Amino acid sequence: MTAHPDLESLARNVIDANRYMTLGTADQDGRPWVTPVYYTPDGYGNFYWVSSPEARHSRNLAQRPDVSIVVFDSQAPIG
């Protein structure tokens, strides 16, 4: 986050104002799975969440460690 200071500020504000992120995983065959999880940020580059080891996303991560996340302002106006 260094190219556009205004975007950096916007991203930091969204991360600071929210506590849920969408976590994207895939099983060993590549079938995608997304789920909302409660998170705690460690700065703006590390995000932690706690889930049951039996949760589908936890089982997916045990088989395939690739993950994507989305943190967004769900109160932003459309457009």
Side-chain angles (χ1 to χ4, degrees), residues 1-17 44:
M1 285 196 235
T2 59
H4 304 309
D6 293 334
L7 293 178
E8 290 177 23
S9 177
L10 177 62
R12 287 186 178 109
N13 289 338
V14 169
I15 291 167
D16 290 342
Y44 297 103

Side-chain angles (χ1 to χ4, degrees), residues 3-44:
H4 304 309
D6 293 334
L7 293 178
E8 290 177 23
S9 177
L10 177 62
R12 287 186 178 109
N13 289 338
V14 169
I15 291 167
D16 290 342
N18 291 281
R19 288 295 169 248
Y20 285 93
M21 67 181 178
T22 303
L23 181 72
T25 62
D27 68 15
Q28 68 185 24
D29 296 323
R31 284 185 295 267
W33 182 259
V34 293
T35 190
V37 295
Y38 176 84
Y39 72 91
T40 298
D42 177 13
Y44 297 103

Side-chain angles (χ1 to χ4, degrees), residues 25-26 44-45 51 69 75:
T25 62
Y44 297 103
S51 295
I69 66 167
Q75 302 300 312

